[in-house]
Amino acid sequence: MTVTEPNASIADRRAAAVADMLARVREIERTRGVTRDALNDMREELYKLAARKELFPKSDFPPPEGDTSNIRYLLSEDADKRFALYMNSIRPGKLTNPHNHTTWAIVAAVEGEEVNRFYERTDDGADPGKATLKQTDETVVRPGVGVALMPDDIHSIAVTGDTPTLHLHMYGKSLDAIPDRLGFDLEAGTADRYGGGSGATA
């Protein structure tokens, strides 16, 4: 466990808490692999970090301004682009199309609400540019309630409420290093590849 001095700055205490959480998450993945049960236990570790609201003042993570609907702050990332942790601030009204991540993903809220809708494909994937989906579930991410996603899981988000979110997003691999994510257009019935952190934000 990382030890910090009593007079350490918020940034120092936050960095120490992040390092401790990530050490436990790495150990879970190392010993148990990437399974839903393992991801649920990783999510519990992220809940503990998100509950320490004093480590995440809004002044350190100002919300988006102007026409920007979301902003992503990198909190930690391994040298090999593994175990990437971000703080996402997203303005109410932000929507994304359904998408996957091609790596595991966990979201826990410091504050703010975000509706996550989950989908499964109903087509056979024979046409790479076409896809049909059906919604299977829905969760409102808020303090104490998060989501844990397997690499092929598909979800969309809709930010509700009156204030921008402060949500911790953790991925098995940095979003900037994922080349083949899929985004889905429900109305058009299409699937498009994108990567490098572009496209959907969660």
Side-chain angles (χ1 to χ4, degrees), residues 10-32:
I10 289 177
D12 289 340
R13 290 190 286 121
R14 180 170 61 238
V18 166
D20 283 346
M21 182 276 295
L22 286 173
R24 293 190 293 272
V25 166
R26 289 190 194 96
E27 183 65 10
I28 291 171
E29 192 198 73
R30 186 188 70 81
T31 58
R32 297 168 56 189

Side-chain angles (χ1 to χ4, degrees), residues 4-88:
T4 57
E5 296 297 327
N7 61 351
S9 70
I10 289 177
D12 289 340
R13 290 190 286 121
R14 180 170 61 238
V18 166
D20 283 346
M21 182 276 295
L22 286 173
R24 293 190 293 272
V25 166
R26 289 190 194 96
E27 183 65 10
I28 291 171
E29 192 198 73
R30 186 188 70 81
T31 58
R32 297 168 56 189
V34 179
T35 66
R36 291 205 183 274
D37 284 344
L39 288 180
N40 287 339
D41 285 347
M42 294 181 198
R43 183 178 57 189
E44 291 297 322
E45 297 299 335
L46 202 60
Y47 283 163
K48 295 173 189 176
L49 180 63
R52 299 185 62 183
K53 191 172 179 178
E54 75 281 1
L55 298 180
F56 303 101
K58 289 182 179 180
S59 57
D60 285 2
F61 305 97
E65 298 180 353
D67 294 332
T68 302
S69 59
N70 63 278
I71 187 168
R72 181 187 301 134
Y73 298 92
L74 180 64
L75 296 178
S76 184
E77 178 185 272
D78 288 5
D80 60 358
K81 298 290 189 176
R82 296 288 330 278
F83 299 98
L85 178 67
Y86 305 89
M87 176 66 80
N88 273 16

Side-chain angles (χ1 to χ4, degrees), residues 60-174:
D60 285 2
F61 305 97
E65 298 180 353
D67 294 332
T68 302
S69 59
N70 63 278
I71 187 168
R72 181 187 301 134
Y73 298 92
L74 180 64
L75 296 178
S76 184
E77 178 185 272
D78 288 5
D80 60 358
K81 298 290 189 176
R82 296 288 330 278
F83 299 98
L85 178 67
Y86 305 89
M87 176 66 80
N88 273 16
S89 182
I90 308 177
R91 290 196 309 201
K94 171 70 177 182
L95 305 172
T96 71
N97 281 340
H99 57 276
N100 67 7
H101 300 101
T102 72
T103 188
W104 58 260
I106 301 170
V107 181
V110 176
E111 64 179 60
E113 294 189 352
E114 172 188 288
V115 178
N116 277 245
R117 297 183 176 96
F118 304 95
Y119 305 84
E120 64 180 30
R121 293 186 68 161
T122 56
D123 65 297
D124 61 8
D127 186 338
K130 302 292 185 180
T132 55
L133 307 179
K134 71 173 181 180
Q135 185 177 336
T136 58
D137 203 356
E138 179 175 305
T139 296
V140 179
V141 174
R142 58 185 184 272
V145 179
V147 296
L149 303 166
M150 293 287 283
D152 291 331
D153 285 349
I154 300 168
H155 80 145
S156 66
I157 69 167
V159 176
T160 58
D162 300 320
T163 60
T165 65
L166 280 179
H167 287 186
L168 293 168
H169 288 234
M170 184 167 57
Y171 301 91
K173 192 171 185 179
S174 168

